[in-house]
Amino acid sequence: MEERNKTLGEFIIENQNAFQYSSGELSRIINSIRLAAKVVNYKVNKAGLVDIVGAAGEQNIQGEDQQKLDVYANEVFIQTLINREIVCGIASEENDDFITVEGSDNSHNNKYVVLMDPLDGSSNIDVNVSVGTIFSVYRRVTPIGTPVTIEDFLQPGINQVAAGYVIYGTSTMLVYTTGHGVNGFTLNPAIGTFYLSHPKMQFPTDGHIYSINEGNYVHFPQGVKDYIKYCQLEEGDRPYTSRYIGSLVSDIHRNMIKGGIYLYPTSSKAPKGKLRLLYECNPLAFIAEQAGGKASDGFNRIMEIEPTELHERVPFFCGSYNMVEKAEEFMHKAKLSKY
């Protein structure tokens, strides 16, 4: 069979033995996410026709207004994972605390926890801009047979066994890794099947796109300001092109295909950064590294950060390897010039 004609289901079965713990559970988790993504995709595509756009009137744990589709997507992904009886715990950006999942026989024998941002960039739904789902899978660290604890979720990104995202755009794609490269699958809406469309995805080592909300320039640390000026300088292959959608998944996806860097640094308005380590940064860092890119907080590798709380925020620099290295160089220079 030609590589690009493979369905996601066929690809999962063929590559299951490449996974460290090939007992079938990971395949079932990816299949659950595939199913939930199709349900959410259907709602996203008809969002302008039904009463599902706009705010739900509540705020999530981060104090952000919850969109109606946020709430819907959260419920769909959680219920799909619970119904399949394959995970022992779920943590979502939309929930205050993690969810303990019991088997139908009240057991706690499942081995994996899933952390997710069910609908990233949902504030863009009202204006018909692409949004996404981000997910991360870990093997539990507490004994099998006992309920999960916070310890199972507060693991560094290097412990991830799988991570991925779904982008609901002009076409809907599921992109994921189990630590053996990154592959992208595009949904054929006519038959509801994901097909391998982007095998062995790679970040170009260098790029010409920088993605940052320059409206916050005055609030950024000096190293980031210096890097932005470097990107804008007419020298060599610069100036670079500025492209910022404001949907994290969309910005990362574009930069992985075309070459670029995404930056969400600390600022005087968000002194710890804004993006969540567990739901956004770790899974996207895993994907970036598996695609030959790099992800850091400006100084340290994202996936080596030891999390201390469920909704922890960190600054995020992610993209083409050489571009992230250069941004880190400016961060270090600015830090040294303070002393």
Side-chain angles (χ1 to χ4, degrees):
M1 180 183 291
E2 187 185 339
E3 184 85 342
R4 287 177 182 269
N5 288 334
K6 279 181 191 164
T7 66
L8 175 56
E10 288 165 341
F11 183 88
I12 288 171
I13 291 166
E14 282 184 22
N15 290 276
Q16 188 165 294
N17 289 336
F19 177 55
Q20 186 181 355
Y21 312 100
S22 55
S23 57
E25 287 144 306
L26 183 73
S27 301
R28 288 161 60 205
I29 290 172
I30 301 296
N31 276 321
S32 295
I33 288 165
R34 171 182 66 174
L35 174 61
K38 287 199 283 187
V39 175
V40 171
N41 174 68
Y42 175 73
K43 284 289 187 183
V44 167
N45 284 342
K46 65 180 219 176
L49 300 173
V50 296
D51 183 30
I52 199 159
V53 297
E58 296 178 10
Q59 290 189 330
N60 63 16
I61 182 66
Q62 285 85 32
E64 300 162 336
D65 290 334
Q66 283 184 310
Q67 304 297 308
K68 292 174 187 174
L69 261 176
D70 271 335
V71 177
Y72 177 80
N74 194 43
E75 289 172 357
V76 168
F77 275 96
I78 288 172
Q79 281 309 128
T80 306
L81 287 164
I82 289 175
N83 292 347
R84 291 292 181 94
E85 295 194 20
I86 40 177
V87 297
C88 52
I90 303 167
S92 166
E93 185 181 301
E94 298 301 324
N95 292 45
D96 295 5
D97 207 350
F98 63 86
I99 298 166
T100 301
V101 181
E102 292 183 349
S104 54
D105 56 354
N106 298 322
S107 68
H108 298 274
N109 293 327
N110 292 324
K111 304 181 189 75
Y112 298 98
V113 296
V114 172
L115 297 93
M116 63 180 179
D117 182 350
L119 206 63
D120 181 79
S122 56
S123 60
N124 281 324
I125 280 278
D126 291 11
V127 290
N128 210 13
V129 169
S130 298
V131 294
T133 296
I134 308 171
F135 63 91
S136 179
V137 183
Y138 292 82
R139 196 170 167 89
R140 66 182 298 172
V141 292
T142 52
I144 291 171
T146 62
V148 289
T149 71
I150 190 71
E151 189 185 354
D152 293 304
F153 298 92
L154 297 185
Q155 298 189 57
I158 51 172
N159 290 358
Q160 289 174 102
V161 294
Y165 61 79
V166 183
I167 180 167
Y168 309 101
T170 47
S171 58
T172 295
M173 280 188 70
L174 191 156
V175 176
Y176 83 99
T177 182
T178 57
H180 300 275
V182 179
N183 292 279
F185 301 80
T186 299
L187 179 66
N188 179 340
I191 55 176
T193 302
F194 282 96
Y195 284 93
L196 179 61
S197 55
H198 294 65
K200 302 178 179 65
M201 294 176 77
Q202 284 282 306
F203 266 101
T205 310
D206 288 290
H208 297 92
I209 297 170
Y210 70 101
S211 309
I212 188 170
N213 184 354
E214 289 187 68
N216 289 327
Y217 180 88
V218 68
H219 302 289
F220 290 150
Q222 190 58 47
V224 174
K225 290 179 180 177
D226 294 342
Y227 179 69
I228 291 172
K229 290 302 178 192
Y230 167 84
C231 291
Q232 295 169 342
L233 201 62
E234 198 166 0
E235 185 177 282
D237 60 349
R238 287 169 283 136
Y240 295 152
T241 301
S242 175
R243 290 283 183 271
Y244 186 74
I245 297 167
S247 283
L248 174 61
V249 166
S250 301
D251 279 310
I252 294 288
H253 184 72
R254 179 204 53 241
N255 289 356
M256 179 155 53
I257 291 170
K258 296 194 169 184
I261 183 173
Y262 176 91
L263 305 98
Y264 209 118
T266 58
S267 68
S268 52
K269 293 198 299 183
K272 293 183 178 178
K274 189 183 175 191
L275 300 180
R276 265 63 60 161
L277 173 62
L278 296 177
Y279 311 113
E280 295 164 315
C281 302
N282 268 338
L284 293 177
F286 190 20
I287 289 168
E289 290 191 10
Q290 284 295 313
K294 185 170 185 177
S296 89
D297 64 358
F299 300 97
N300 311 292
R301 183 185 178 199
I302 284 290
M303 293 215 298
E304 290 180 353
I305 296 172
E306 292 281 349
T308 57
E309 54 185 279
L310 214 46
H311 298 282
E312 185 170 341
R313 298 175 192 258
V314 291
F316 193 50
F317 297 63
C318 180
S320 295
Y321 194 92
N322 288 347
M323 296 186 82
V324 177
E325 286 259 296
K326 180 60 75 172
E328 287 179 324
E329 194 180 300
F330 278 99
M331 293 297 287
H332 283 291
K333 278 182 188 172
K335 188 176 182 179
L336 287 171
S337 69
K338 278 184 175 180
Y339 303 105

